[in-house]
Amino acid sequence: AVGDERFQRKCFSRMRELQARGTTILFVSHAPNTILELCNRAFLMDAGELLMQGAPKDVIGHYHRLLFAPKEK
């Protein structure tokens, strides 16, 4: 969500309403805290390739390891 804090709260509230109804939401972000707060499943992709899927905490951990790994790895 972009905009002021009021608008962001409105957006997140709407997303939670949709989740409560069982609606599938595709949320694309690099914001780990928001992913942890909103998602119950995460996918890590690079250049269109699926690298990992699973619990958000595990996927974010893998993302951080890739992000901060030496270039040789």
Side-chain angles (χ1 to χ4, degrees):
V2 295
D4 62 21
E5 186 175 343
R6 184 176 182 193
F7 181 75
Q8 289 178 19
R9 286 177 188 239
K10 179 181 173 183
C11 290
F12 287 118
S13 176
R14 177 69 175 141
M15 288 181 66
R16 287 188 186 96
E17 287 175 22
L18 291 169
Q19 285 178 316
R21 290 189 205 161
T23 303
T24 299
I25 301 168
L26 177 60
F27 179 73
V28 179
S29 178
H30 289 96
N33 291 335
T34 307
I35 293 168
L36 289 169
E37 181 181 346
L38 293 176
C39 302
N40 57 17
R41 187 165 182 80
F43 297 82
L44 176 59
M45 299 186 74
D46 182 41
E49 179 185 352
L50 178 63
L51 301 180
M52 183 181 183
Q53 61 180 306
K57 186 175 181 179
D58 297 336
V59 175
I60 290 168
H62 189 74
Y63 170 69
H64 284 145
R65 284 189 296 279
L66 289 174
L67 191 63
F68 298 111
K71 289 187 180 187
E72 313 80 63
K73 295 186 176 189

